[in-house]
C-alpha cells in the first residue's frame, strides 16, 4: 500500500492452539511521518469464542499515538478467553462490554461504559492513568438493574466464601501442600492501584425488585480493601468488609460480614426461582488468616455467630438454606437426611483448621 492509503487488514492463524481471525482497516502509514495526520480505524477480531470490534480515529505517531472511538467486547464466558491466553481469572458470563474510549500513552478514559452480564446492566465510566509507578484505575459503576442470579454463584460471592468456611468443619481437615512461591493472583494485586465505586439500585431476584446495594473497593500498592459491601432487602441489611494485604511475601487477609434481620428468601430464589423458602437471619462472621494458600487452612482464625428464623416453620427446608451451609453446620446435631430443627442459633470458633461450637 502507498503511505497515503489505508492499511487493509485480513489475517487468520492460531494463538495458544486457539484459532483467530482479524479484519479491518488501519490508518495510512503517512501518520508515521506526519504526526498530525489521523485516519479511520475499523477492526474486528474473533478469538476463543470472544469478539472484539473497534471503530474510530487513530494515528500512528510513534511519539504520541492516540485512539478515539468505540469498543465492543462480547463472549459467552470470560473463561474461554482467559484459558486461551493462559491467564487464571474468575469465570463469568455471558457478557457484553462497550464504551467510548480516548487513549494515548499516558491515559485511557472511557465514558458511556455498558457491561451486560446475564440480565444485569452495569453502566458507568473509568479512567486509567499510566504515568506513575503503577497504573491507577478509577471507576464508577451503576447497576440498573442488577439481578442477584447473575452474581450469587460467581467466585467472588458470599456463597463461595461460606463454602470455604464450612469445608473446614470436618474432623480431619484437609492440609494443603506447602505453597511454592506467591501465586500470580497476589502479584496482580501489586500491579495497579484501583478506586471502584459501585451502586446497584434496584436489585432484582427471580424477576422481583427486592432492594439496593453498594460497594466501595480500593487497591493501593498491593493492599485490597472492600469497605463496605452493603445490601438492603426490606428492613434487613447485610454488610461485608474485606482486607487482603499482598504487600509482603506472606499475604494476610481478613473478612467481616454482619447481617441483621436479613431476608434470605431472595437469595435462595436467585439460585432456585421455584423455591418458596422464606425467613430472616442474623449473621456475624469474622475471619483472619495469612499465607498464600488458595483455601482457608490452619492459619485461619475467627468466629461465626448465626441466628436463623424460617417463616414457614418447615424444618426440612433448612437443608437448602445458605447453599447447604446450615446442613453441614448441623451435621453433628442432627445426622438424619432431613433437619428436625425449626430454627438455629449457633456460635462457632475457628482455629487450627477446625471449627468448634461454643
Amino acid at each position: 500500500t502507498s503511505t497515503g492509503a489505508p492499511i487493509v487488514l485480513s489475517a487468520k492463524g492460531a494463538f495458544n492452539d486457539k484459532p483467530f481471525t482479524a479484519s479491518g482497516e488501519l490508518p495510512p502509514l503517512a501518520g508515521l511521518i506526519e504526526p498530525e495526520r489521523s485516519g479511520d480505524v475499523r477492526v474486528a477480531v474473533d478469538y476463543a469464542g470472544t469478539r472484539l470490534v473497534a471503530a474510530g480515529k487513530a494515528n500512528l505517531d510513534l511519539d504520541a499515538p492516540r485512539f478515539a472511538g468505540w469498543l465492543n467486547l462480547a463472549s459467552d464466558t470470560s473463561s474461554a478467553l482467559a484459558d486461551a491466553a493462559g491467564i487464571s481469572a474468575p469465570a463469568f458470563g455471558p457478557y457484553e462490554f462497550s464504551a467510548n474510549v480516548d487513549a494515548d500513552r499516558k491515559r485511557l478514559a472511557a465514558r458511556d461504559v455498558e457491561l451486560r452480564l446475564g440480565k444485569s446492566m452495569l453502566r458507568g465510566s473509568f479512567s486509567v492513568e499510566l504515568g506513575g509507578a503503577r497504573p491507577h484505575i478509577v471507576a464508577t459503576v451503576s447497576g440498573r438493574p442488577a439481578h442477584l442470579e447473575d452474581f450469587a454463584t460467581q467466585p467472588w460471592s458470599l456463597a463461595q466464601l461460606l463454602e470455604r468456611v464450612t469445608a473446614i468443619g470436618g474432623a480431619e481437615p484437609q492440609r494443603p501442600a506447602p505453597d511454592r512461591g506467591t501465586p500470580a493472583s497476589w502479584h496482580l494485586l501489586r500491579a495497579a492501584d484501583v478506586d471502584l465505586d459501585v451502586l446497584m439500585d434496584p436489585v432484582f431476584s427471580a424477576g422481583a425488585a427486592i432492594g439496593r446495594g453498594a460497594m466501595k473497593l480500593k487497591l493501593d500498592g498491593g493492599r485490597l480493601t472492600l469497605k463496605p459491601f452493603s445490601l438492603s432487602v426490606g428492613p434487613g441489611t447485610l454488610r461485608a468488609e474485606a482486607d487482603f494485604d499482598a504487600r509482603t511475601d506472606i499475604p494476610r487477609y481478613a473478612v467481616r460480614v454482619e447481617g441483621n434481620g436479613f431476608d434470605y428468601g431472595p437469595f435462595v430464589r436467585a439460585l432456585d426461582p421455584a423455591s418458596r423458602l422464606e425467613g430472616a437471619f442474623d449473621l456475624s462472621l469474622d475471619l483472619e488468616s495469612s499465607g498464600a494458600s488458595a483455601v482457608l487452612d490452619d492459619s485461619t482464625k475467627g468466629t461465626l455467630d448465626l441466628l436463623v428464623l424460617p417463616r414457614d416453620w418447615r424444618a426440612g427446608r433448612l437443608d437448602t438454606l445458605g447453599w447447604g451451609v446450615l446442613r453441614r453446620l448441623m451435621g453433628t446435631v442432627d445426622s438424619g437426611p432431613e433437619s428436625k430443627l425449626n430454627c438455629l442459633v449457633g456460635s462457632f470458633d475457628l482455629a487450627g483448621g477446625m471449627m468448634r461450637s461454643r
Side-chain angles (χ1 to χ4, degrees), residues 18 75 108 139 160 199 246 257 259 277 288 291 306 321 323:
K18 299 288 185 179
S75 179
L108 183 151
Q160 297 296 310
L199 174 65
V257 182
L277 187 66
E288 294 182 0
L306 190 65
L321 179 60
W323 304 275

Side-chain angles (χ1 to χ4, degrees), residues 27-327:
L29 293 175
L32 293 172
I33 56 177
E34 299 177 30
E36 299 302 321
R37 183 168 179 173
S38 63
D40 293 330
V41 171
R42 294 183 296 103
V43 176
V45 179
D46 291 278
Y47 176 65
T50 302
R51 182 170 178 83
L52 170 66
V53 178
K57 294 282 188 179
N59 67 47
L60 300 179
D61 181 7
L62 296 180
D63 295 323
R66 183 174 180 178
F67 171 79
W70 175 80
L71 296 177
N72 180 272
L73 182 69
S75 179
D76 288 335
T77 174
S78 64
S79 62
L81 184 60
D83 292 345
I87 300 172
S88 177
F92 59 87
Y95 71 91
E96 182 176 4
F97 169 86
S98 64
N100 288 309
V101 175
D102 194 334
D104 57 32
R105 279 189 171 180
K106 295 183 178 181
R107 188 173 189 268
L108 183 151
R111 54 185 174 80
D112 303 325
V113 175
E114 292 189 350
L115 173 61
R116 184 179 296 278
L117 178 61
K119 295 183 293 183
S120 300
M121 174 63 81
L122 307 180
R123 296 179 171 90
S125 62
F126 70 87
S127 64
V128 182
E129 301 289 344
L130 302 173
R134 294 177 300 275
H136 185 197
I137 303 169
V138 179
T140 300
V141 178
S142 175
R144 298 179 184 274
H147 290 260
L148 279 181
E149 48 266 45
D150 294 329
F151 302 93
T153 58
Q154 300 295 347
W156 55 79
S157 69
L158 179 61
Q160 297 296 310
L161 171 64
L162 292 176
E163 288 282 352
R164 290 187 175 188
V165 174
T166 56
I168 305 173
E172 295 295 333
Q174 294 183 348
R175 308 289 182 178
D179 295 310
R180 295 177 173 86
T182 305
S185 58
W186 292 105
H187 290 296
L188 288 176
L189 292 181
R190 304 166 187 164
D193 295 335
V194 178
D195 288 283
L196 175 63
D197 196 338
V198 178
L199 174 65
M200 298 175 289
D201 188 9
V203 174
F204 281 77
S205 176
I210 61 168
R212 68 192 303 270
M215 180 182 76
K216 289 184 179 293
L217 181 146
K218 185 178 184 64
L219 176 58
D220 185 5
R223 183 176 184 178
L224 176 68
T225 56
L226 175 67
K227 189 175 182 178
F229 167 86
S230 63
L231 185 61
S232 300
V233 178
T237 61
L238 183 69
R239 181 183 176 94
E241 296 183 359
D243 188 345
F244 298 85
D245 193 344
R247 292 175 295 182
T248 66
D249 291 336
I250 303 178
R252 299 179 182 275
Y253 54 94
V255 177
R256 299 173 187 84
V257 182
E258 295 286 339
N260 295 293
F262 193 78
D263 187 350
Y264 55 72
F267 276 88
V268 178
R269 288 190 293 276
L271 298 176
D272 179 9
S275 173
R276 294 162 56 191
L277 187 66
E278 296 287 350
F281 69 77
D282 289 352
L283 169 70
S284 179
L285 174 68
D286 192 344
L287 297 178
E288 294 182 0
S289 190
S290 61
S293 293
V295 297
L296 303 177
D297 56 14
D298 56 8
S299 69
T300 307
K301 61 181 180 180
T303 60
L304 171 63
D305 298 300
L306 190 65
L307 167 64
V308 182
L309 295 171
R311 290 197 189 104
D312 56 12
W313 300 102
R314 279 179 273 181
R317 289 186 174 182
L318 283 171
D319 283 335
T320 64
L321 179 60
W323 304 275
V325 168
L326 294 184
R327 174 168 47 79

